[in-house]
Amino acid sequence: MPNYRRARVAGATCFFTVVTAQRRPLLDSATRIAALRQSVDEIRRLLPFEIDAWVVLPDHMHAIWTLPTGDGDFSKRWGRIKAGFTRSCGHAHTSAPGCDAGLWQPRFWEHVIRDEADFAAHMDYTHYNPVKHGYVKRVVDWPYSSFHRCVRRGHYPTDWGDSEPDYPQDCVFGE
């Protein structure tokens, strides 16, 4: 098995892509979204982090987190969030190679945000994702997104995303 290296930067802001096993649409109901939120809330109480952005689609999600100063362990947080969600669905959590019992792909993709332009591009990518995948025509119409919170805080106008954002050439996204 390969030895994956993670960029563990204490206090970093990171973009993540987390995918369900075999891209099954497991995050396709308000009940399952509520279970995911509960798992996230529980882990944030134990292992705090800031949620800068989050979007949940039926078979994957993107998030941007800022970790506390002195803490770079996002892997533990993701592992516990995924395990908590899996338990709430009544399944045993496993990520053993070749085992189909798990609800999640065993790993996730991360990118450490480099600067404000990189942060802005990943925020836009996160929030535009439901339109990109054809779930809605307008960003504002997707209910499972931090976009609505960002609008309330004045970071985006309500009609943002009516056309695809122009991402910088050097931006990388884990789709």
Side-chain angles (χ1 to χ4, degrees):
M1 175 173 244
N3 183 13
Y4 289 93
R5 293 180 186 227
R6 298 275 186 203
R8 297 185 192 278
V9 180
T13 299
C14 300
F15 169 83
F16 302 98
T17 299
V18 179
V19 181
T20 63
Q22 299 176 358
R23 286 229 178 227
R24 292 184 302 233
L26 301 174
L27 302 168
D28 61 351
S29 71
T31 302
R32 290 203 173 156
I33 299 297
L36 178 63
R37 281 187 177 137
Q38 180 179 347
S39 183
V40 170
D41 289 345
E42 288 173 12
I43 299 314
R44 286 184 73 202
R45 280 192 293 278
L46 295 170
L47 300 166
F49 60 93
E50 290 297 317
I51 297 172
D52 300 298
W54 204 307
V55 67
V56 178
L57 292 105
D59 64 352
H60 73 286
M61 59 184 145
H62 298 290
I64 301 174
W65 297 352
T66 299
L67 299 173
T69 303
D71 186 345
D73 195 353
F74 48 77
S75 291
K76 181 187 290 185
R77 288 166 172 85
W78 275 120
R80 289 185 177 186
I81 289 167
K82 289 161 66 173
F85 174 83
T86 300
R87 276 191 306 278
S88 74
C89 292
H91 290 73
H93 178 69
T94 180
S95 58
C99 184
D100 191 36
L103 299 182
W104 302 99
Q105 284 186 2
R107 294 182 250 317
F108 56 87
W109 191 84
E110 92 277 348
H111 165 77
V112 176
I113 300 294
R114 297 182 304 260
D115 55 30
E116 286 188 31
D118 195 31
F119 180 81
H122 283 83
M123 287 285 286
D124 291 353
Y125 181 84
T126 298
H127 292 128
Y128 193 75
N129 216 249
V131 176
K132 175 187 171 211
H133 288 284
Y135 292 111
V136 291
K137 296 232 183 267
R138 299 174 342 137
V139 174
V140 72
D141 295 333
W142 189 251
Y144 308 117
S145 173
S146 59
F147 177 74
H148 307 284
R149 180 186 71 183
C150 290
V151 168
R152 285 191 304 274
R153 293 180 178 177
H155 300 301
Y156 288 104
T158 304
D159 65 348
W160 179 87
D162 286 353
S163 61
E164 186 169 1
D166 185 24
Y167 305 113
Q169 290 278 8
D170 62 343
C171 280
V172 290
F173 305 104
E175 196 73 46

